[in-house]
Amino acid sequence: MLRDIFNKKRKYASLPNQEGKQDVPEGLMQKCPGCNKIYYRKELERNLNVCPHCDYHHQQNAYERLESLLEKDSFEEWDKYMISTNPLGFPEYEEKLEKDRKKSGLNEAVITGKGKIRGYETAIAVMDARFRMGSMGAVVGEKIANAIEQARKEKIPFIIFTASGGARMQEGVISLMQMTKTSVAIQRLHSDGGLMISVMTHPTTGGVSASFASLGDFNFAEPGALIGFAGRRIIEQTIREKLPEDFQTAEFLLKHGQLDDVVHRHDLKNKLETILSIHQPGGELS
Amino acid sequence: MKQVLDFEKPVIELRGKIEELKKLTQESEMDLSEEIETLEQRLEKLEEDVYDRLSPWNRVQMARHPERPTTLDYIHSIFTDFMELHGDRLYGDDEAIVAGIANYKNQPVTVIGHQRGNDTKENLRRNFGMPHPEGYRKALRLMKQADKFNRPIICFIDTKGAYPGKAAEERGQSEAIARNLMEMAGLTVPVVCIVIGEGGSGGALALGVGDHIHMLENSTYSVISPEGAAALLWKDSNLAQNAAETMKITSYDLKELGIVDKVIPEIRGGAHRDIKAQSEKIDQILQESLENLKSLSKEELLESRWEKYKKIGDYTTLPL
């Protein structure tokens, strides 16, 4: 309103009530960014980290993902202790890696290995955004390429869950070359007739979106996941235009023909099982 | 008049002075040949100091020089009978990438490259050499054509990056780049990539899966621009000069990191000083590359490409 411009009265932002904050003990309760409802973390976990009220898909970490998909005790992890060096001598990089190892309990931003999904043996890679925002450096590239190559050799399907901010700045052009490394591995898998399924989860951007995430025989995404190449802010600055709210969401990509489907986390296992069964030697449709 | 970069000002000034003295000698009776000789020696020394020890940031400036030769400049001076081919057959023709067939020493080849403009008008048409998905898809279409007819492929890389626009995202920028990486991996003809200016991130990489990768001495190849890196890492894009050092983006850095096969020397003062002489240097290395790759069978070519990329990137084992 025009009148507001001349109003000398200062306006104050309201800060959240400190007492109110203390009502929710850290870790026990969780507020949903989708519907603002507060519920027990346990309740959320039982529901595969999907909000029971509004279906908002909270991030699942790599171990939660594996546990929710694989048969109990079927997982054999590969390259578990492979860790990054500091190839460019980048200041403070080692410290940051060490901090994230402690914080997340992971050695790098991806877990790879072999496990069974309802009886189907599968090579699987799950990225975890808690480690350096899931960014791809030499270790992420190497582990994923190894897993793809192993799937090819064992003639088993390869499934990848992506969650990544893109290339890892601290490894510069080496991280860029991991896009090539993983893509060459996928080319070998495809040319040998291997099956690859990509499931893009929040967020899948930059170099990861522009390499293996987009190269499955089937490309799926979770509802609401942010997926794109360039960052929203960069695009807005470049084209000097405000982008629509749903820009670069899974639903936006589906509408523009970039995805096979957007799959609710509760339906994912069934969908994967169907695809795996169809593509097994001696499977229903083969 | 060539555009002068800040660090080369002393050279240009001295060169100007020598020209002046020469003119003076011609016009008047004075004999200044001794002075001119001294100054020419000084110029030689100064040029050495300035151009033979360029900082990473100086090289970034060189790579971005408005007069730096473009893909088409090199195509016309290295190849004959270039026939440009257009369009991705899906959406449109992206002029940020030029592609076509040409003759290279009596051998048909396919040549593809990012294309900047020479002036503002052309830059607008070519989107400053920043491609949309249809550019990458055009490139791929013509690489497949080359594969079918057993023609070697030469890619010139010169882009700030894939265009960060709304339409580019809608049409699948990620998918287009990813597909090129994967499909290039499976080409059964030799692919030689030459970075001639800026090699910006995924947009460069989408033409960059080669059996050999060479870089002009003053070109750069990086995951992000120095300005972008500085903004992201230190929240200050003014620290771009530092980022240019830290990020290791020069031809010599990439050679050391084992990513680039050969650094192609530039004429002193930069490729734009003499396109013809520069083309000859590129030509020589290109010829060597294609000669080497010719001896490989299709299977060997694919296997060596896999090995080349598989070994990029160091890692270690967590001490227990």
Side-chain angles (χ1 to χ4, degrees):
Chain A
M1 294 293 277
L2 195 65
R3 205 174 45 203
D4 292 337
I5 299 172
F6 302 104
N7 194 342
K8 290 277 184 233
K9 231 160 122 191
R10 306 257 304 264
K11 282 188 178 154
Y12 295 93
S14 60
L15 290 166
N17 185 335
Q18 285 304 311
E19 272 170 49
K21 245 187 181 174
Q22 280 162 2
D23 284 351
V24 189
E26 194 77 30
L28 185 61
M29 305 290 284
Q30 173 111 15
K31 188 173 169 183
C32 177
C35 62
N36 287 328
K37 285 211 171 70
I38 294 169
Y39 34 71
Y40 284 105
R41 253 212 85 78
K42 277 258 175 331
E43 189 187 352
L44 184 66
E45 278 163 18
R46 267 201 304 272
N47 203 34
L48 300 178
N49 277 10
V50 176
C51 173
H53 306 284
C54 75
D55 266 350
Y56 180 89
H57 282 52
H58 294 257
Q59 279 176 316
Q60 238 184 347
N61 72 42
Y63 284 110
E64 286 168 339
R65 177 76 66 182
L66 289 168
E67 204 188 306
S68 71
L69 286 174
L70 300 181
E71 285 177 18
K72 207 164 183 284
D73 300 324
S74 74
F75 187 61
E76 170 198 325
E77 188 171 347
W78 295 331
D79 295 327
K80 182 171 181 175
Y81 299 103
M82 188 187 285
I83 59 163
S84 302
T85 61
N86 187 0
L88 306 189
F90 207 94
E92 292 166 51
Y93 182 38
E94 280 122 329
E95 289 82 346
K96 282 184 174 145
L97 290 169
E98 179 64 29
K99 209 174 114 198
D100 279 11
R101 276 197 290 269
K102 288 219 167 85
K103 192 187 75 188
S104 66
L106 299 160
N107 291 331
E108 251 296 341
V110 68
I111 294 178
T112 59
K114 184 166 76 169
K116 279 186 178 166
I117 297 176
R118 296 207 175 123
Y120 296 107
E121 185 123 278
T122 307
I124 189 164
V126 187
M127 303 185 82
D128 196 315
R130 293 173 305 159
F131 193 99
R132 301 272 85 219
M133 287 167 66
S135 60
M136 171 161 64
V139 173
V140 170
E142 183 73 13
K143 284 176 83 166
I144 290 173
N146 283 348
I148 296 165
E149 192 61 7
Q150 198 57 34
R152 186 180 74 87
K153 284 181 185 154
E154 293 192 30
K155 299 190 190 306
I156 55 176
F158 173 68
I159 302 181
I160 186 155
F161 288 85
T162 60
S164 173
R168 188 170 296 171
M169 292 301 128
Q170 290 87 349
E171 294 190 29
V173 70
I174 290 176
S175 68
L176 190 69
M177 292 297 152
Q178 305 309 309
M179 293 168 65
T180 310
K181 183 193 284 188
T182 51
S183 302
V184 182
I186 292 168
Q187 192 278 329
R188 287 159 68 86
L189 178 76
H190 284 317
S191 77
D192 277 11
L195 168 68
M196 171 174 164
I197 304 169
S198 167
V199 183
M200 298 174 228
T201 75
H202 181 75
T204 296
T205 58
V208 166
S209 151
S211 59
F212 51 84
S214 300
L215 294 174
D217 295 292
F218 298 85
N219 294 334
F220 296 122
E222 289 201 325
L226 170 74
I227 304 161
F229 180 66
R232 171 186 276 267
R233 204 160 39 99
I234 308 246
I235 298 173
E236 283 184 336
Q237 280 167 6
T238 307
I239 63 173
R240 296 199 180 82
E241 192 181 312
K242 198 104 180 89
L243 292 164
E245 188 77 0
D246 71 339
F247 187 67
Q248 293 182 326
T249 59
E251 293 73 15
F252 175 91
L253 265 78
L254 182 70
K255 199 171 86 189
H256 286 93
Q258 304 298 329
L259 288 174
D260 286 298
D261 211 348
V262 176
V263 182
H264 193 289
R265 202 174 283 159
H266 289 167
D267 303 331
L268 190 63
K269 202 165 165 177
N270 287 336
K271 200 150 248 182
L272 291 178
E273 185 191 11
T274 305
I275 295 172
L276 291 172
S277 73
I278 287 170
H279 293 84
Q280 289 291 310
E284 284 160 45
L285 298 182
S286 65
Chain B
M1 181 64 200
K2 301 268 180 205
Q3 183 169 325
V4 177
L5 300 171
D6 53 5
F7 63 87
E8 55 178 359
K9 265 190 194 132
V11 175
I12 307 298
E13 275 167 17
L14 189 55
R15 205 181 280 148
K17 244 176 224 156
I18 293 170
E19 288 303 314
E20 248 172 63
L21 286 186
K22 277 184 179 165
K23 221 165 121 194
L24 207 67
T25 324
Q26 275 171 7
E27 286 164 4
S28 66
E29 301 283 292
M30 272 189 294
D31 180 21
L32 296 166
S33 57
E34 218 169 280
E35 283 84 351
I36 291 174
E37 205 178 310
T38 326
L39 284 181
E40 273 178 340
Q41 278 167 6
R42 221 163 85 197
L43 179 67
E44 171 72 20
K45 175 84 182 49
L46 189 65
E47 283 197 325
E48 241 179 73
D49 282 350
V50 170
Y51 292 125
D52 295 359
R53 274 182 279 277
L54 291 182
S55 72
W57 180 250
N58 293 156
R59 294 195 199 279
V60 171
Q61 290 174 290
M62 280 281 193
R64 291 176 179 172
H65 199 291
E67 285 145 37
R68 193 163 175 85
T70 65
T71 293
L72 279 174
D73 290 325
Y74 291 129
I75 286 180
H76 291 309
S77 56
I78 297 173
F79 306 89
T80 55
D81 310 320
F82 177 64
M83 184 195 290
E84 189 176 352
L85 303 167
H86 297 274
D88 67 346
R89 301 293 186 277
L90 297 163
Y91 180 83
D93 184 39
D94 185 350
E95 295 189 77
I97 288 182
V98 292
I101 49 174
N103 182 344
Y104 183 65
K105 303 188 197 302
N106 293 321
Q107 184 189 11
V109 292
T110 290
V111 195
I112 301 170
H114 302 98
Q115 184 63 40
R116 289 177 290 111
N118 280 319
D119 50 48
T120 311
K121 206 173 142 202
E122 196 191 350
N123 258 324
L124 287 175
R125 186 157 64 83
R126 299 198 180 277
N127 202 29
F128 296 83
M130 293 188 284
H132 281 72
E134 48 273 22
Y136 299 118
R137 289 174 182 142
K138 167 170 72 177
L140 182 59
R141 178 176 78 81
L142 293 168
M143 287 186 212
K144 290 276 197 184
Q145 186 195 65
D147 201 23
K148 177 179 174 189
F149 296 106
N150 216 12
R151 286 194 286 271
I153 299 166
I154 296 109
C155 292
F156 290 106
I157 294 172
D158 185 17
T159 184
K160 289 185 182 305
Y163 185 64
K166 183 168 174 249
E169 296 284 325
E170 288 171 344
R171 297 202 286 272
Q173 190 77 288
S174 287
E175 195 273 348
I177 294 172
R179 178 163 301 278
N180 274 25
L181 301 181
M182 181 177 78
E183 298 282 2
M184 284 184 86
L187 295 171
T188 56
V189 293
V191 182
V192 178
C193 303
I194 304 170
V195 187
I196 57 171
E198 285 182 278
S201 192
L205 202 61
L207 299 184
V209 185
D211 299 299
H212 289 167
I213 309 173
H214 307 305
M215 275 178 87
L216 287 194
E217 193 179 3
N218 296 323
S219 60
T220 59
Y221 204 161
S222 66
V223 68
I224 188 170
S225 71
E227 288 83 359
L232 209 67
L233 293 163
W234 305 308
K235 315 268 175 259
D236 185 357
S237 61
N238 295 320
L239 296 174
Q241 299 201 19
N242 300 18
E245 308 231 349
T246 316
M247 299 292 289
K248 303 267 194 295
I249 61 175
T250 69
S251 56
Y252 293 105
D253 291 330
L254 267 89
K255 178 91 177 81
E256 210 179 301
L257 291 168
I259 293 168
V260 152
D261 293 277
K262 286 217 163 105
V263 174
I264 305 174
E266 276 188 39
I267 16 187
R268 191 177 274 167
H272 57 285
R273 301 268 164 205
D274 189 344
I275 298 179
K276 196 162 166 286
Q278 192 60 58
S279 299
E280 279 162 18
K281 287 178 196 281
I282 296 175
D283 181 42
Q284 201 187 330
I285 286 180
L286 177 61
Q287 193 179 1
E288 269 174 40
S289 257
L290 289 175
E291 202 56 47
N292 281 335
L293 293 168
K294 214 167 68 183
S295 61
L296 299 180
S297 71
K298 291 186 176 203
E299 292 73 27
E300 285 169 334
L301 202 61
L302 291 178
E303 198 59 33
S304 76
R305 206 175 285 150
W306 162 241
E307 278 162 18
K308 176 185 176 72
Y309 290 100
K310 182 66 167 59
K311 68 171 194 266
I312 297 177
D314 273 347
Y315 48 87
T316 182
T317 307
L318 188 72
L320 291 175

